[in-house]
Amino acid sequence: MEDGFSSEEVSEILSRYDLGTITSVRGYQRGSSRAPKALIESDQGEYLLKRRAPGRDDPTRIKFEHTVHRELSKAGYPVAEIIASRRSQSTAIRGSHGIYELFRFVRSSRCHGTTTELLSCGAALSDFHGILNDFEYPMPYKAGFHGASRIERHMEKYSKALSRRSRRVCSEIIDCYTQAAESVDSLGWSKWSTTIVHGDWHPGNVLFGDQANVRVVLDFDNVRREPRIVDIASGILHFGRYVTALHKGEGSTWPVELHEPSVKSFARGYASHATQSPVATELAALPALMVEAIALETIPSLLREGRFGEHPVNEFLPVVLHSLKNMLSNSGRLIATLQTILG
């Protein structure tokens, strides 16, 4: 088969599970291509096989993620069941090409941008934080997007190959990122209370059912302990820009432009289930955190690959810079809106 798996590889892994009679195996092209997936159909149901991406296959880290997953599942939170292997009852197994996980496949759909979905999305994030607020378990280190040094390292390594104009744009992007990171620190990052955060709350990981409710939350590769405002910033950024693209009828979420009614609905949903609200300084830091997230999600891969999707690096760098500057210039209005709802 295609999409990153060989037939022999899939057969080897599936032979270690009790899945009944398998009727279909096909590639499943969602998420990162570095973590190939296959949709399995059998007389016992549908399953999703995933090979962990290189660098995300540390057994200690996976054990922590699965422990978080079990804690949520025990509380009735909408997660996909992780299937245990037949003999060892392990939820992560090692094969000839890496480490694998098998999930029960949950039929669901992406956000359509409705108010009900955005309210449900915010409430689901709030529930996630509430369930895990007192969760204690030895946690391997996992870097987030605040104060990350990866951007500077990639700039040093790859920027010499860029045009002079693009190097100037890169320098401005670094200035925006540094300004944002320093702002977050000055507002009290190190003093804010923490919980377990999802770390990647975006439309590909939060899927919906027929009643516009959150049907399943996916991808625990980035769970870590940080201030909850990190997830709130991520959710507002990614769902806000996603709904803007839906309304424009475009496939791209660039340049970043937040759909204000969706931002408000998401925030109201979070507030409706929150047992602990963000403090004023956390809300004041939210636009700066979004600037950090935008820069970190694009710049390392853009410089490394020399393009972002269909866009060459020299063409796309100004789009990133425009988005960062626009976020910073409109931060006052966004903060005021969120303080009214979440403060």
Side-chain angles (χ1 to χ4, degrees), residues 92-167:
I93 63 174
R94 185 177 294 278
S96 57
H97 292 77
I99 293 181
Y100 301 79
E101 298 161 302
L102 186 69
F103 300 89
R104 190 170 298 280
F105 187 73
V106 179
R107 289 283 169 184
S108 50
S109 61
R110 279 204 175 203
C111 178
H112 296 94
T114 68
T115 298
T116 303
E117 286 174 322
L118 272 299
L119 288 166
S120 178
C121 183
L125 179 59
S126 189
D127 290 341
F128 184 99
H129 293 158
I131 292 167
L132 297 172
N133 190 57
D134 298 320
F135 176 77
E136 294 292 341
Y137 190 86
M139 183 182 68
Y141 174 74
K142 177 70 176 180
F145 59 75
H146 170 59
S149 60
R150 298 193 290 281
I151 290 183
E152 287 87 346
R153 291 202 304 268
H154 278 78
M155 289 289 191
E156 292 174 5
K157 185 173 182 179
Y158 297 105
S159 62
K160 293 178 182 178
L162 300 176
S163 67
R164 182 177 298 177
R165 177 175 177 272
S166 290
R167 288 199 298 272

Side-chain angles (χ1 to χ4, degrees), residues 174-324:
I174 286 292
D175 288 344
C176 286
Y177 182 85
T178 302
Q179 175 188 339
E182 290 176 350
S183 173
V184 172
D185 285 335
S186 68
L187 285 165
W189 168 268
S190 63
K191 298 177 182 178
W192 297 333
S193 64
T194 61
T195 186
I196 300 297
V197 299
H198 180 272
D200 204 14
W201 198 265
H202 67 69
N205 287 336
V206 185
L207 303 178
F208 296 82
D210 294 338
Q211 304 302 314
N213 59 306
V214 172
R215 180 87 169 89
V216 63
V217 174
L218 306 172
D219 192 354
F220 290 76
D221 293 8
N222 290 287
V223 290
R224 57 189 183 272
R225 180 167 286 279
E226 278 189 335
R228 68 195 67 228
I229 197 66
V230 165
D231 270 347
I232 298 172
S234 183
I236 287 174
L237 169 63
H238 292 301
F239 279 91
R241 67 197 290 196
Y242 176 78
V243 177
T244 293
L246 288 179
H247 280 257
K248 288 184 174 181
E250 299 174 355
S252 174
T253 56
W254 292 94
V256 175
E257 182 181 342
L258 302 183
H259 185 255
E260 188 171 338
S262 295
V263 169
K264 291 179 178 178
S265 295
F266 181 94
R268 289 191 183 105
Y270 189 93
S272 70
H273 283 214
T275 56
Q276 181 178 343
S277 298
V279 298
T281 50
E282 288 180 278
L283 293 174
L286 194 142
L289 285 168
M290 289 196 282
V291 165
E292 291 189 86
I294 293 168
L296 196 60
E297 80 174 34
T298 53
I299 296 304
S301 60
L302 178 62
L303 294 179
R304 184 176 60 249
E305 304 297 332
R307 60 192 313 104
F308 193 84
E310 301 295 322
H311 305 283
V313 60
N314 292 329
E315 176 185 303
F316 199 71
L317 280 169
V319 178
V320 177
L321 179 60
H322 169 77
S323 296
L324 300 183

